[in-house]
Amino acid sequence: MIDPTGMSAEDPGWIEHSTNKGDKLLTYDAEINTKQEAKDKGYRNVETVSESLSYNGTSGFESYNLNKDGSVSDNLSGSTTDVGFSPMRTGDDYYISENNPLKSFASGLQNAGDASTYTGLSFSITGVGAPVGAALMAIGGGMSLIGTGIESLFLAGQGQEKKAMAKFGISLFFARSGNYGIKATERAIGKGLDKGSTTLINGINLTLDKTIGADTEKMLTK
């Protein structure tokens, strides 16, 4: 672990610290400029506070730049991650994240929304509690969309309008495409679908969202 900028500990950003149990943490906090400020805010076992850091895993398959804006660049793939929304755990068990309550809230909404959607889908598939399952899927989809909307606003505020539009647009599309698919199928066959059929369509839509949707977002933001 090195500080590639060679800057002093007066520069804000990345805190290298650990829990009392020995868990290793690299946390970005824009409010922290010194080790003393980090300790005063409640960070334990603070080793360094740096504007940026370079991380190279012992396996040789991980190499990251922890940038001064709080993002993390993968030197091997060329991708960049906002760890405020998507925290990372390395092969050497370092947990890399950002201390930003609003980003954490948005990320929590997306994760909780996905969990609610999957739970609702399982209820519907079993046929037990299908009405509850449908409600959980609707609530979960709404939570995920709100969380994605907050993340998109952050991206737009950072000048990443293209990525923001792609992320929210794809999320909005898949939030609605399940219902569109059900209605289109019902019009085609001239009658309403049973619970099993609607569950199948929603399940396919969810799978497409997590696979093709994610791939499409990457393609659009290259």
Side-chain angles (χ1 to χ4, degrees), residues 174-216:
F174 281 105
R176 297 184 175 183
S177 58
N179 286 332
Y180 290 155
I182 291 170
K183 291 178 180 178
T185 303
E186 288 177 338
R187 284 197 297 269
I189 64 177
K191 63 178 182 179
L193 294 175
D194 56 29
K195 292 294 183 182
S197 299
T198 58
T199 298
L200 177 61
I201 291 174
N202 282 322
I204 293 173
N205 183 67
L206 182 61
T207 301
L208 292 175
D209 181 15
K210 300 306 178 184
T211 53
I212 294 177
D215 290 341
T216 301

Side-chain angles (χ1 to χ4, degrees), residues 78-96:
S79 63
T80 300
T81 300
D82 186 329
V83 292
F85 294 109
S86 304
M88 303 165 57
R89 187 173 294 279
T90 72
D92 294 327
D93 213 29
Y94 276 90
Y95 187 70
I96 306 175

Side-chain angles (χ1 to χ4, degrees), residues 50-216:
S50 307
E51 183 181 55
S52 57
L53 290 170
S54 176
Y55 173 88
N56 293 286
T58 56
S59 67
F61 294 104
E62 290 179 305
S63 178
Y64 303 114
N65 282 335
L66 282 62
N67 305 311
K68 62 182 180 180
D69 63 356
S71 63
V72 175
S73 300
D74 188 324
N75 294 321
L76 302 181
S77 69
S79 63
T80 300
T81 300
D82 186 329
V83 292
F85 294 109
S86 304
M88 303 165 57
R89 187 173 294 279
T90 72
D92 294 327
D93 213 29
Y94 276 90
Y95 187 70
I96 306 175
S97 64
E98 178 181 355
N99 185 0
N100 185 309
L102 187 54
K103 286 186 178 182
S104 297
F105 174 70
S107 178
L109 274 178
Q110 293 178 63
N111 292 334
D114 288 347
S116 178
T117 300
Y118 283 119
T119 301
L121 183 61
S122 66
F123 276 23
S124 298
I125 289 174
T126 60
V128 178
V132 175
L136 284 173
M137 291 176 70
I139 293 171
M143 291 172 66
S144 295
L145 187 61
I146 292 171
T148 301
I150 295 173
E151 182 177 357
S152 298
L153 287 175
F154 263 100
L155 291 170
Q158 295 171 347
Q160 302 182 63
E161 292 86 357
K162 182 179 178 182
K163 187 173 183 178
M165 291 177 64
K167 179 175 286 293
F168 187 72
I170 291 170
S171 182
L172 181 62
F173 172 80
F174 281 105
R176 297 184 175 183
S177 58
N179 286 332
Y180 290 155
I182 291 170
K183 291 178 180 178
T185 303
E186 288 177 338
R187 284 197 297 269
I189 64 177
K191 63 178 182 179
L193 294 175
D194 56 29
K195 292 294 183 182
S197 299
T198 58
T199 298
L200 177 61
I201 291 174
N202 282 322
I204 293 173
N205 183 67
L206 182 61
T207 301
L208 292 175
D209 181 15
K210 300 306 178 184
T211 53
I212 294 177
D215 290 341
T216 301

